[in-house]
Amino acid sequence: MLTGIGTMLLTFVAMEGVAWLMHKYVLHGFLWFLHKSHHTHHHHAFEWNDLFFAYYGTLAMLFFIFGSDPIDYRFWIGAGITLYGLAYFLIHDVFIHRRIKVFGKTSNVYLKALNMAHKVHHKVQDKNGSESFGMLWVAPRYFRLAYEIVKKQEQEERGSVHY
Ligand SMILES: [Zn+2]
Ligand SMILES: [Zn+2]
């Protein structure tokens, strides 16, 4: 059980690397024709890019199927992929792009940094020239920026109390 959970957590961390590689070299590579839908402004509920959820979902399902009778390490890899998919969906689709409007503004430095890094990725609407391909791992410079913004906000809020 413990090794299982360890395998699951390792898979979760590894998935960030997989997602980064996929995003940088495949989505902004030969599968750009699908990913392009995510770099274009539109008013549709779904994008071609959403197919990647089906891809990772199928992958996780296969790991579950082959690793569940009896339960072995493949089951836990499937669980890790599923967990990462869930985190990715919540952060990327719900929190950053607000496809479902449940989260308000945040003063959490990590979430702010993550949001900024991804918005920078979207600044470029082209196949080439983007940066910040990861999701949960954020470059330190965004942390510094986010920290400064949050600190400023706090100072302003404190200042307004006196009136
Ligand atoms: Zn992209
Ligand atoms: Zn995005």
Side-chain angles (χ1 to χ4, degrees):
M1 183 72 182
L2 259 186
T3 25
I5 290 173
T7 308
M8 181 177 80
L9 293 177
L10 266 178
T11 306
F12 184 90
V13 173
M15 278 302 289
E16 173 71 10
V18 171
W20 184 86
L21 282 170
M22 273 281 288
H23 192 181
K24 190 173 166 83
Y25 296 106
V26 180
L27 304 198
H28 284 255
F30 77 100
L31 288 184
W32 171 250
F33 72 100
L34 289 176
H35 186 56
K36 195 178 159 191
S37 62
H38 186 58
H39 278 265
T40 320
H41 289 290
H42 64 75
H43 298 284
H44 311 295
F46 293 101
E47 328 175 318
W48 283 108
N49 191 57
D50 294 333
L51 276 181
F52 292 106
F53 276 112
Y55 165 74
Y56 283 113
T58 310
L59 196 70
M61 215 169 64
L62 289 173
F63 274 105
F64 279 133
I65 291 170
F66 288 105
S68 62
D69 190 25
I71 286 181
D72 64 18
Y73 70 97
R74 287 172 294 189
F75 175 90
W76 295 103
I77 290 177
I81 297 174
T82 306
L83 214 66
Y84 185 81
L86 210 69
Y88 193 99
F89 177 75
L90 279 176
I91 286 184
H92 177 257
D93 294 82
V94 181
F95 172 67
I96 297 179
H97 291 301
R98 301 188 186 274
R99 292 175 79 172
I100 308 169
K101 292 177 180 60
V102 284
F103 296 131
K105 274 209 180 315
T106 179
S107 54
N108 179 291
V109 173
Y110 172 63
L111 288 176
K112 248 195 161 45
L114 199 143
N115 188 27
M116 278 199 288
H118 193 67
K119 293 282 161 63
V120 167
H121 176 74
H122 274 284
K123 265 214 167 107
V124 180
Q125 294 199 3
D126 199 50
K127 183 178 171 184
N128 302 308
S130 263
E131 54 175 302
S132 296
F133 291 93
M135 186 45 58
L136 303 179
W137 189 86
V138 182
R141 64 176 183 282
Y142 292 111
F143 272 106
R144 279 195 294 274
L145 271 171
Y147 178 73
E148 274 158 28
I149 291 172
V150 169
K151 218 168 60 183
K152 225 176 166 182
Q153 274 174 348
E154 279 173 1
Q155 274 166 358
E156 276 163 15
E157 273 161 29
R158 234 177 282 136
S160 63
V161 173
H162 297 293
Y163 293 106

